[in-house]
């Protein structure tokens, strides 16, 4: 087995240039990105990524969910590939690095192997998972979820965005319906480099997060039914106020999360009022509660308590209440062998590092259901993400990609 020297590193300037070039596609209004999944901007980003990969000698495969697989051959055609990836789609007011770093770090890893004429026994496949964010089509990690057998293709194709467009129709519209059956590919291992999206690494002064676990999640979509009425002429005692019920539920979610500290979070990011007119009490309010914790028992207890107390709140106000789970995964434990490859890579390269649990969900969570998988994290400024002001440094990106290179080479086995 070839020993990897600490001077074996990627080209951080080339990685940074690629990040900045990709950031020009689907620009936001405040310096970040709005490259939502299956939009024309997403399609443009896909084409740019495809051209870069083909320039690096990779061959493209696309599956029926639109996930892109870019393959660098190994010396052993029978060896299962090592997959390296993340996502190019962004939040509506997303940053330049969430997901994008992991995809372009995979490309930079390949470019570096090409520069040094390094061969590996196992092929390497750089992956752009479709619809990781779930911002336009819930749930998050939809394509990797179909890949892992968690969702059916029909379910995924039927998911609708707020304008009622379906995933299947939009994928066809942008011309990215692939031929491969989703999940037919088998992985030797999966690695994902991602920004932390939290404050820990920066606060602790660490360059690398050795990700051991990812916290579990529920997305609970509540539909509250009130009675549309005039906000001016309807006496307070005659109101069936779905908006008030929502406010009380949000307050309750906050206290449920605080009652499950340490390590639990809960909140709401998306609300729809109907008819959403200033002087009409809402007839319907639809919102999604997002709760997460690394502790499965806590996660289950939080969901049960929120659903029970929401029903009580609505009953007291005469508001109708229904709830649908539109997203879920249990807490994930990443593969110990791959985790130690990440840790030994950071040690070999002399990068400060610490164990960390991922607060955000990632495609690696579903990949872990079908193959050994793990993640590497780099800090982000102020822990800020899902915000156009999301920022990292070139040094952090370079260190994370160096660790990715070494860990992947350990698993893909350098030949010659
Ligand atoms: O929601 C998440 O954790 C991820 O950003 N999709
Ligand atoms: Mn992400
Ligand atoms: Mn994200």
């Amino acid at each position: 087995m070839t020993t990897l020297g600490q001077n074996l590193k990627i080209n951080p300037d080339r990685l940074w240039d690629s990040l900045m070039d990709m950031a020009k596609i689907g620009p936001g209004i405040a310096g970040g990105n709005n490259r939502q999944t299956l939009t024309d901007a997403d399609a443009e980003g896909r084409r740019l990524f495809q051209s870069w990969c083909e320039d690096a000698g990779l061959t493209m495969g696309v599956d029926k969910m639109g996930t892109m697989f870019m393959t660098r051959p190994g010396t052993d055609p029978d060896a299962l590939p090592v997959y390296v990836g993340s996502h190019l789609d962004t939040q509506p007011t997303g940053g330049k690095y969430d997901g994008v770093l992991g995809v372009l770090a995979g490309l930079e890893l390949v470019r570096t192997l090409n520069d040094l004429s390094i061969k590996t026994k196992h092929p390497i496949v750089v992956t752009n998972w479709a619809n990781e964010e779930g911002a336009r089509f819930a749930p998050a990690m939809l394509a990797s979820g179909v890949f892992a057998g968690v969702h059916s293709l029909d379910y995924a194709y039927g998911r609708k965005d707020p304008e009622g467009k379906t995933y299947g129709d939009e994928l066809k519209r942008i011309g990215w319906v692939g031929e491969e059956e989703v999940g037919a590919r088998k992985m030797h291992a999966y690695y994902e480099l991602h920004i932390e999206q939290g404050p820990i690494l920066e606060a602790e002064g660490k360059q690398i997060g050795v990700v051991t676990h990812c916290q579990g999640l529920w997305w609970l979509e509540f539909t509250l039914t009130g009675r549309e009425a005039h906000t001016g002429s309807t006496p307070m005692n005659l109101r069936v106020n779905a908006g008030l019920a929502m406010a009380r539920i949000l307050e309750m979610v906050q206290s449920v999360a605080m009652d499950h500290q340490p390590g639990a979070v809960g909140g709401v990011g998306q609300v729809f009022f109907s008819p959403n007119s200033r002087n009409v009490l809402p007839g319907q309010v639809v919102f999604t509660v997002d709760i997460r914790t690394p502790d499965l028992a806590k996660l289950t207890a939080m969901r049960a308590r929120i659903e029970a107390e929401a029903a009580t709140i609505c009953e007291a106000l005469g508001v109708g209440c229904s709830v649908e789970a539109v997203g879920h995964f249990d807490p994930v434990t990443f593969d110990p062998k791959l985790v130690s490859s990440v840790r030994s890579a950071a040690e070999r390269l002399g990068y400060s590092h610490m164990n960390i649990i991922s607060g955000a969900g990632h495609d690696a969570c579903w990949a872990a259901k079908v193959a050994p998988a793990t993640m590497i994290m780099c800090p982000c400024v102020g822990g800020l993400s899902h915000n156009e002001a999301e920022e990292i440094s070139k040094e952090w990106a370079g260190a994370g990609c160096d660790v990715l290179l070494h860990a992947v080479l350990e698993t893909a086995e350098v030949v010659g």
Side-chain angles (χ1 to χ4, degrees):
M1 167 75 179
T2 312
T3 48
L4 305 173
Q6 68 172 35
N7 297 321
L8 175 61
K9 294 194 174 178
I10 58 102
N11 180 334
D13 294 324
R14 181 171 57 191
L15 171 59
W16 195 256
D17 290 348
S18 298
L19 285 165
M20 294 305 110
D21 287 343
M22 182 58 74
K24 290 173 189 153
I25 298 176
I29 52 173
N33 276 110
N34 180 5
R35 195 172 53 244
Q36 295 182 66
T37 199
L38 308 189
T39 58
D40 293 340
D42 182 23
E44 191 184 342
R46 287 162 169 269
R47 286 193 295 273
L48 177 61
F49 173 59
Q50 176 186 356
S51 68
W52 284 341
C53 288
E54 290 173 345
D55 290 348
L58 305 184
T59 50
M60 181 168 80
V62 183
D63 73 13
K64 290 181 175 176
M65 277 297 289
T67 292
M68 299 168 74
F69 301 100
M70 314 304 287
T71 300
R72 181 180 198 258
T75 56
D76 177 352
D78 299 328
L80 288 180
V82 174
Y83 284 70
V84 182
S86 195
H87 61 94
L88 292 174
D89 67 310
T90 75
Q91 288 286 336
T93 53
K96 300 191 283 281
Y97 313 98
D98 172 1
V100 186
L101 175 64
V103 177
L104 300 186
L107 172 59
E108 175 52 35
L109 180 158
V110 164
R111 285 167 167 170
T112 300
L113 298 184
N114 291 345
D115 291 346
L116 302 173
S117 306
I118 291 176
K119 291 190 179 63
T120 55
K121 174 188 173 191
H122 295 262
I124 291 171
V125 180
V126 184
T127 305
N128 170 32
W129 295 104
N131 192 37
E132 188 280 340
E133 290 293 358
R136 189 179 170 201
F137 302 97
M141 302 118 71
L142 184 62
S144 53
V146 178
F147 187 91
V150 174
H151 308 302
S152 71
L153 187 63
D154 285 349
Y155 164 81
Y157 273 19
R159 302 306 290 162
K160 287 187 177 154
D161 73 2
E163 291 169 15
K165 293 176 183 165
T166 66
Y167 187 96
D169 288 347
E170 283 295 279
L171 185 64
K172 207 180 296 172
R173 184 186 67 79
I174 65 166
W176 277 92
V177 181
E179 288 174 3
E180 292 185 13
E181 291 306 319
V182 186
R185 287 173 171 263
K186 299 304 168 209
M187 298 177 170
H188 178 57
Y190 175 79
Y191 285 95
E192 181 164 354
L193 170 63
H194 205 287
I195 64 173
E196 179 198 338
Q197 299 183 290
I200 299 168
L201 292 175
E202 185 186 40
E204 298 294 329
K206 303 295 183 190
Q207 293 164 293
I208 299 294
V210 180
V211 188
T212 57
H213 301 80
C214 181
Q215 64 179 352
L217 161 151
W218 279 106
W219 277 2
L220 305 173
E221 186 180 85
F222 282 88
T223 300
L224 307 188
T225 308
R227 186 174 61 221
E228 292 181 21
H230 198 297
T231 51
S233 55
T234 309
M236 294 304 279
N237 65 328
L238 296 184
R239 297 180 175 207
V240 183
N241 193 336
L244 176 60
M246 180 206 71
R248 290 183 179 170
I249 289 170
L250 264 59
E251 189 67 43
M252 175 268 289
V253 168
Q254 174 76 10
S255 42
V256 168
M258 296 315 290
D259 289 350
H260 286 82
Q261 294 307 308
V265 291
V268 171
Q270 183 186 68
V271 178
F272 294 106
F273 268 54
S274 170
N276 204 30
S277 168
R278 288 178 184 77
N279 48 3
V280 178
L281 291 168
Q284 187 182 72
V285 177
V286 180
F287 57 98
T288 300
V289 170
D290 179 328
I291 53 173
R292 312 192 193 198
T293 170
D295 180 318
L296 181 57
K298 276 189 183 179
L299 188 65
T300 307
M302 287 168 71
R303 176 185 179 185
R305 192 174 139 196
I306 286 169
E307 292 187 352
E309 292 192 17
T312 307
I313 287 168
C314 289
E315 194 179 346
L317 293 170
V319 168
C321 177
S322 67
V323 57
E324 180 193 353
V326 294
H328 172 62
F329 52 86
D330 284 348
V332 175
T333 300
F334 288 123
D335 180 80
K337 189 161 176 278
L338 300 191
V339 170
S340 62
S341 292
V342 169
R343 189 176 297 109
S344 53
E347 284 160 1
R348 182 184 316 126
L349 289 157
Y351 293 137
S352 58
H353 57 280
M354 63 182 283
N355 288 354
I356 194 166
I357 294 172
S358 177
H362 304 282
D363 295 307
C365 298
W366 289 141
K369 281 181 82 73
V370 293
T374 199
M375 297 186 72
I376 302 161
M377 282 188 172
C378 77
C380 52
V381 176
L384 189 65
S385 184
H386 285 193
N387 182 309
E388 291 205 47
E390 176 186 281
E391 204 48 74
I392 65 172
S393 71
K394 187 190 296 186
E395 291 67 33
W396 285 340
C401 197
D402 287 336
V403 171
L404 181 72
L405 172 67
H406 279 239
V408 166
L409 285 180
E410 189 170 318
T411 306
E413 299 178 44
V414 174
V415 173

